[in-house]
Amino acid sequence: MSRPAEEIKPLAKKKKKAPFNYSPYVRGGKLPHIWCPGCGHGIVLKCLLRAIHTTGLLRDDIAMVSGIGCSSRTPGYVDFNTLHTLHGRALAYATGLKLAKPRLNVIVTTGDGDALAIGGNHFIHACRRNMDMTILVYNNAVYGMTSGQASPTTPPGKISTTSRNGSIEPPFDTCSLARAAGATFVARGTAYHFQELEKVIYEAIMHKGTSVVDIIDACPTYYGRFNKYKSPTEMMEKIEKEGTVSVKQVDKLSPEELEGKLLRGILHKSDRPEYCAEYQKLMTKVQAK
Amino acid sequence: MAVAEKRIFRIEIDERLCKGCSLCVDFCPTNVLTMDGNMVAVKELDACNGCQLCDNRCPDFAIQVFEE
Ligand code: SF4
Ligand code: SF4
Ligand code: SF4
């Protein structure tokens, strides 16, 4: 509803604060979402929607693809082109989709289990190919949907359904793995640092090539309960705030202060031929023969 | 001396969506909010500075703050 002209003050000094309007991006009638109270996935989804809004992309320019798991429910709530696929196979579907419709901006929402265990093979090869897509790994160090089994990112000593006395496995570092496999944009954020997260997701979407963002967030229901965190707030403070350091701070900190901390921010960016562009070049060459 | 105009905010809570996680209550820097059973409630609207932290850390699209 617009206001009558005389109501609008002529010399409004400061722009009034207004919250972000999520409704154009959320599928009508789909909320509340299925995530548990205090689950970080909702915070990540909101950062993602604000980042997409900043890109100026139209809703129909975006295809959101997921596999199976709590984080993989994301596409069900958003008003883009969406695909909810098989466990660990989101990247296989995303690859096919991008090849068939290169105009689409493909965003994959996946979890630590879905991306790095069940779909680990697809993950490294997607990074290697450098096809233009954004892979968001909602990393809560546990398989939430199936009741809290250890995942490839469960830290040593942490309790899960499958590590009742503490995990003895060394975890994967999503970012090192992505970088070693060839991803040309690698970053990390947390649900706690929502402004930073929104920014790195924006940068990841704008980057031409495979972008991976490792997003540390909390599963209070399983990881939190098993590991004696008192509340979702405590998880965000202990794991996301105290457990990470911005890349901008690294130079100012001693090795002791950096011990056991994960780095946040853009950790790697490089320029390498993008798969769809190379494929197009090849087709042009072959067809000219 | 000019006195800064008091800014007034309105907090909208969607009771259908709030899951009572308390994140907004815990992260509000000025203690505006409180838990009323399993639902967030406004306790001290006057203290609100419009920082939007509650909205940004709410996983459930359940709270938004508007400047009047
Ligand atoms: S089980 Fe864990 S990850 Fe899944 S919705 Fe609940 S809190 Fe979130
Ligand atoms: S806008 Fe800021 S001050 Fe106001 S209720 Fe939300 S968190 Fe508290
Ligand atoms: S953060 Fe959101 S869901 Fe949690 S108590 Fe506050 S309004 Fe409710």
Side-chain angles (χ1 to χ4, degrees):
Chain A
M1 218 171 60
S2 61
R3 294 189 297 164
E6 63 269 22
E7 252 191 48
I8 300 168
K9 287 192 194 117
L11 278 173
K13 279 163 259 147
K14 215 164 175 183
K15 208 169 159 268
K16 290 200 168 168
K17 283 193 185 179
F20 184 83
N21 180 10
Y22 295 97
S23 53
Y25 297 102
V26 176
R27 250 177 220 166
K30 288 287 178 188
L31 294 179
H33 51 58
I34 61 148
W35 296 319
C36 308
C39 174
H41 293 353
I43 305 173
V44 177
L45 168 59
K46 287 166 77 181
C47 291
L48 172 57
L49 295 178
R50 296 195 302 272
I52 288 175
H53 182 79
T54 311
T55 65
L57 288 164
L58 300 175
R59 280 175 301 171
D60 200 37
D61 292 339
I62 292 170
M64 207 172 273
V65 185
S66 71
I68 296 294
C70 295
S71 55
S72 291
R73 299 297 290 254
T74 304
Y77 302 113
V78 294
D79 200 4
F80 305 116
N81 300 292
T82 57
L83 262 181
H84 188 190
T85 74
L86 303 176
H87 203 0
R89 310 292 176 251
L91 290 170
Y93 283 85
T95 302
L97 177 66
K98 180 74 184 174
L99 267 178
K101 296 224 178 284
R103 74 159 188 93
L104 287 176
N105 201 304
V106 177
I107 300 171
V108 177
T109 58
T110 176
D112 38 302
D114 192 57
L116 307 179
I118 317 272
N121 206 358
H122 296 297
F123 182 78
I124 54 175
H125 295 291
C127 294
R128 175 176 66 85
R129 283 189 203 105
N130 197 35
M131 190 179 277
D132 185 21
M133 63 171 73
T134 303
I135 306 172
L136 305 177
V137 184
Y138 295 43
N139 183 355
N140 54 16
V142 80
Y143 284 87
M145 186 162 276
T146 49
S147 68
Q149 293 81 2
S151 87
T153 59
T154 305
K158 290 297 180 189
I159 315 283
S160 73
T161 312
T162 48
S163 60
R164 302 306 299 172
N165 297 301
S167 173
I168 52 166
E169 293 183 23
F172 265 150
D173 175 329
T174 316
C175 294
S176 310
L177 182 66
R179 183 176 177 172
T184 48
F185 179 101
V186 179
R188 184 179 286 112
T190 82
Y192 178 89
H193 303 91
F194 56 85
Q195 270 165 322
E196 273 180 43
L197 180 60
E198 179 186 328
K199 216 162 159 253
V200 292
I201 294 177
Y202 168 81
E203 297 284 340
I205 296 172
M206 298 312 278
H207 176 78
K208 284 277 162 274
T210 301
S211 309
V212 175
V213 186
D214 185 34
I215 303 168
I216 311 298
D217 75 343
C219 167
T221 300
Y222 294 108
Y223 192 88
R225 200 156 44 89
F226 290 149
N227 292 291
K228 309 254 181 303
Y229 290 97
K230 286 191 219 76
S231 63
T233 306
E234 190 187 54
M235 290 187 85
M236 287 180 80
E237 278 177 342
K238 293 258 162 68
I239 302 171
E240 300 167 30
K241 184 181 172 200
E242 291 163 27
T244 63
V245 166
S246 163
V247 273
K248 292 179 189 145
Q249 302 282 311
V250 170
D251 294 343
K252 295 178 206 132
L253 298 171
S254 66
E256 293 76 45
E257 285 169 311
L258 288 169
E259 176 77 29
K261 309 255 182 193
L262 290 169
L263 293 186
R264 297 190 319 267
I266 297 171
L267 307 181
H268 170 72
K269 208 172 165 178
S270 62
D271 208 9
R272 216 154 52 74
E274 191 275 327
Y275 189 95
C276 294
E278 291 304 295
Y279 184 78
Q280 201 46 54
K281 273 193 226 159
L282 181 65
M283 284 303 107
T284 312
K285 203 164 113 192
V286 172
Q287 281 160 1
K289 272 190 190 161
Chain B
M1 203 178 79
V3 179
E5 206 183 310
K6 170 105 178 83
R7 304 179 77 175
I8 299 176
F9 298 95
R10 168 169 50 91
I11 301 176
E12 279 188 11
I13 294 162
D14 189 333
E15 299 196 351
R16 199 179 52 93
L17 298 181
C18 174
K19 291 182 186 154
C21 68
S22 185
L23 283 171
C24 58
V25 176
D26 299 346
F27 285 119
C28 171
T30 54
N31 288 316
V32 173
L33 307 166
T34 184
M35 289 312 294
D36 178 10
N38 218 16
M39 183 78 60
V40 64
V42 178
K43 170 179 72 176
E44 191 63 64
L45 183 60
D46 250 14
C48 178
N49 61 19
C51 70
Q52 318 264 13
L53 263 176
C54 50
D55 178 0
N56 284 314
R57 294 222 174 94
C58 169
D60 284 276
F61 300 84
I63 187 165
Q64 291 214 295
V65 182
F66 299 79
E67 183 163 4
E68 299 280 26

